[in-house]
Amino acid sequence: LIPSTYLASDDIGLGPFRLSGDITSQIDWETAWYDAPIDLSLVNYTGYTTTYSGGQIQLRKTPGMDTIGDNKVDFSVVMPDDISVIARQGSSGQLEPYITSGDRELLLFSRGIRSSDQLFIQAEEDNNQLTWILRLCGFIAMVVGICMMLQPVATAFDVLPFCGDALEGVIGGCIIPCIALVISVPLSLLIISIAWIFYRPYFAIGSIVMIGLLGLLYVKYLKPKLSKPPPQPTNTPQQQNDPEAKPQNQGFNENYGQPAEAIAEPMGYEQHQKVPEPVGYGQQHKVEEVPFGQALDNPPPASNPGFSPPPSYPPPSNTGGGYQAP
């Protein structure tokens, strides 16, 4: 019988300023109006009995009894209170939304007395909350959409006898949702990143520059050092001429943590040994180098003046493969 009605004054002010409809529409702290001035003579409907009590009008078909078709009307009112507003002052002295450089409206409103910093912080928190809600809704919508696209694959297994229903349940209820999650996560992150870069171009330029510098540092300095092969140990010329010298890379190599290959030494009869200088010879005499085995089998004649048997030396150590000649 009586439709719901909202009545707002055209002269709602904040000190010397008047509030526009965009601001007054956000005033929602109504309280019950128990002493509303109601004239019951203006509320007369045929077949209904009208009563008023406790801020409520009751229209009953049967007096004193609630029946189907009765109507009740409640009243509420917004009492004066303190508010805080960030808005633009119009030419007529009315507070209205401020249009930013991006063609967006800026209007911050809160009940109570708050500073501008508090209003901006609250607006940023509300914006972040709405952003994550929209991101979550987009992620869920993407997962559901991919599942619906792949669902015919699971339905195709239903035609198989005996195990068709089981395969359809496993594929449609487990495998396809997992595939949808694997696809949706990187795609959602990619879309969020593109949107973030689009709305923050200055941060995007800085990020691109930093990534380029890091890539240049890697290519110019780090990559050549990482791709350079490790130095290989080599024998010195003294060790190559001296058959009794121990090779540097024999046995365990502590630089690389792995045992190096042992270098095989030739056997005594294959290696040219230097015959020691006989006792009594001066420094001007030189001894001819002969093979070690030949020197043992065919010693020089004893009639050679100034000859004395060479001193006994211990046999050279076995540093390679095989055995040394005695």
Side-chain angles (χ1 to χ4, degrees):
L1 296 178
I2 302 177
S4 179
T5 305
Y6 178 83
L7 302 177
S9 174
D10 296 333
D11 190 14
I12 301 176
L14 179 63
F17 306 101
R18 292 187 301 105
L19 303 181
S20 63
D22 296 324
I23 301 177
T24 57
S25 61
Q26 301 185 40
I27 301 176
D28 55 358
W29 52 83
E30 297 93 349
T31 57
W33 194 6
Y34 297 105
D35 55 351
I38 302 299
D39 187 2
L40 295 180
S41 61
L42 301 177
V43 187
N44 289 324
Y45 293 93
T46 304
Y48 291 90
T49 302
T50 306
T51 58
Y52 176 74
S53 176
Q56 183 181 72
I57 296 177
Q58 297 180 355
L59 303 174
R60 294 189 176 95
K61 294 182 178 180
T62 303
M65 182 181 299
D66 293 336
T67 57
I68 298 176
D70 294 347
N71 290 263
K72 295 181 180 180
V73 180
D74 295 323
F75 295 90
S76 60
V77 63
V78 176
M79 303 303 295
D81 200 350
D82 296 329
I83 61 173
S84 300
V85 178
I86 294 180
R88 171 180 173 270
Q89 181 180 355
S91 57
S92 60
Q94 187 179 16
L95 297 180
E96 55 190 23
Y98 173 76
I99 306 301
T100 63
S101 58
D103 295 334
R104 294 190 175 187
E105 293 186 356
L106 175 61
L107 177 62
L108 303 181
F109 174 84
S110 177
R111 184 180 182 183
I113 299 177
R114 294 189 177 185
S115 63
S116 59
D117 293 337
Q118 293 176 340
L119 290 176
F120 279 110
I121 292 174
Q122 183 64 37
E124 186 177 358
E125 292 177 356
D126 296 341
N127 190 22
N128 291 335
Q129 183 179 3
L130 179 60
T131 300
W132 282 106
I133 291 175
L134 294 177
R135 289 174 178 174
L136 180 61
C137 293
F139 174 74
I140 295 175
M142 185 177 296
V143 172
V144 174
I146 295 176
C147 289
M148 296 176 65
M149 292 174 60
L150 298 178
Q151 192 62 33
V153 177
T155 307
F157 287 91
D158 190 24
V159 299
L160 297 177
F162 304 107
C163 61
D165 294 337
L167 289 177
E168 181 183 5
V170 171
I171 295 175
C174 180
I175 297 178
I176 290 180
C178 292
I179 295 175
L181 287 175
V182 172
I183 297 175
S184 300
V185 169
L187 287 181
S188 299
L189 294 177
L190 178 62
I191 294 173
I192 292 172
S193 301
I194 294 175
W196 192 88
I197 292 174
F198 178 79
Y199 285 100
R200 296 171 177 83
Y202 296 105
F203 290 98
I205 294 174
S207 301
I208 294 173
V209 171
M210 290 298 297
I211 293 174
L213 292 177
L214 292 176
L216 180 63
L217 177 64
Y218 174 77
V219 173
K220 296 288 290 184
Y221 298 99
L222 297 181
K223 187 176 180 180
K225 293 182 179 180
L226 295 176
S227 59
K228 184 178 180 181
Q232 298 293 336
T234 57
N235 293 332
T236 61
Q238 181 180 2
Q239 292 175 338
Q240 294 177 359
N241 297 331
D242 189 358
E244 297 184 359
K246 185 178 179 180
Q248 292 183 355
N249 58 345
Q250 181 180 2
F252 186 78
N253 194 331
E254 60 182 1
N255 294 329
Y256 301 99
Q258 296 181 358
E261 295 182 358
I263 298 178
E265 291 285 341
M267 299 180 66
Y269 58 83
E270 297 176 355
Q271 178 69 31
H272 293 279
Q273 301 291 339
K274 180 184 291 186
V275 179
E277 184 178 355
V279 178
Y281 265 59
Q283 296 297 330
Q284 70 277 10
H285 297 282
K286 300 298 182 180
V287 180
E288 181 183 0
E289 294 182 2
V290 296
F292 181 71
Q294 182 179 355
L296 294 178
D297 297 336
N298 301 316
S303 61
N304 186 7
F307 172 81
S308 61
S312 60
Y313 290 91
S317 60
N318 181 21
T319 58
Y323 295 91
Q324 296 288 349

